Amino acid sequence: MSKKDTYIAKMKSQLDDLEQAMDDLGNKADEAKADAKEKYHEELAKLRAQSKLAMSKLDEMKSASEENWESMTASMEKVRDAFTHSFHYFKSQLKG
């Protein structure tokens, strides 16, 4: 497996884990009181948009040449980190 394939597989796994955790939080949001439920679902929609952006960046990396993919890692990691940060913030708000 090339360095590129290894990186993409690792990033995909991380994004998939966040997607699963987001689905779990969505279920928890469904159990919230009516007034909070709408806010939680709005925040989940924002998270889903970030997830979509991250997956799009990952797809760009998959189609990049062996010479060019490494230049895309910083951008990919910024998108992933923003998504992760937003997810953890939302998770903390849901528990509160």
Side-chain angles (χ1 to χ4, degrees), residues 12-31:
K12 172 109 174 74
S13 176
Q14 290 174 0
L15 294 175
D16 287 346
D17 289 348
L18 281 169
E19 279 283 329
Q20 180 59 51
M22 206 168 35
D23 288 343
D24 294 343
L25 285 180
N27 293 334
K28 202 171 195 179
D30 286 339
E31 297 169 4

Side-chain angles (χ1 to χ4, degrees), residues 39-51:
K39 182 178 184 321
Y40 291 150
H41 283 285
E42 287 174 15
E43 293 301 317
L44 271 172
K46 291 177 188 175
L47 282 174
R48 295 225 184 270
Q50 284 186 302
S51 174

Side-chain angles (χ1 to χ4, degrees), residues 4-89:
K4 174 185 172 185
D5 292 337
T6 301
Y7 180 87
I8 288 172
K10 176 184 164 192
M11 194 61 61
K12 172 109 174 74
S13 176
Q14 290 174 0
L15 294 175
D16 287 346
D17 289 348
L18 281 169
E19 279 283 329
Q20 180 59 51
M22 206 168 35
D23 288 343
D24 294 343
L25 285 180
N27 293 334
K28 202 171 195 179
D30 286 339
E31 297 169 4
K33 293 180 182 175
D35 58 335
K37 188 184 294 192
E38 184 176 335
K39 182 178 184 321
Y40 291 150
H41 283 285
E42 287 174 15
E43 293 301 317
L44 271 172
K46 291 177 188 175
L47 282 174
R48 295 225 184 270
Q50 284 186 302
S51 174
K52 194 173 190 177
L53 175 63
M55 290 305 232
S56 175
K57 285 281 187 195
L58 191 60
D59 287 341
E60 286 178 30
M61 286 188 82
K62 287 178 186 177
S63 62
S65 68
E66 283 294 323
E67 296 82 33
N68 295 331
W69 76 271
E70 284 190 49
S71 66
M72 302 172 81
T73 59
S75 176
M76 178 71 227
E77 289 171 8
K78 277 185 180 180
V79 170
R80 188 241 4 240
D81 291 347
F83 178 33
T84 301
H85 176 76
S86 295
F87 170 80
H88 288 294
Y89 178 76

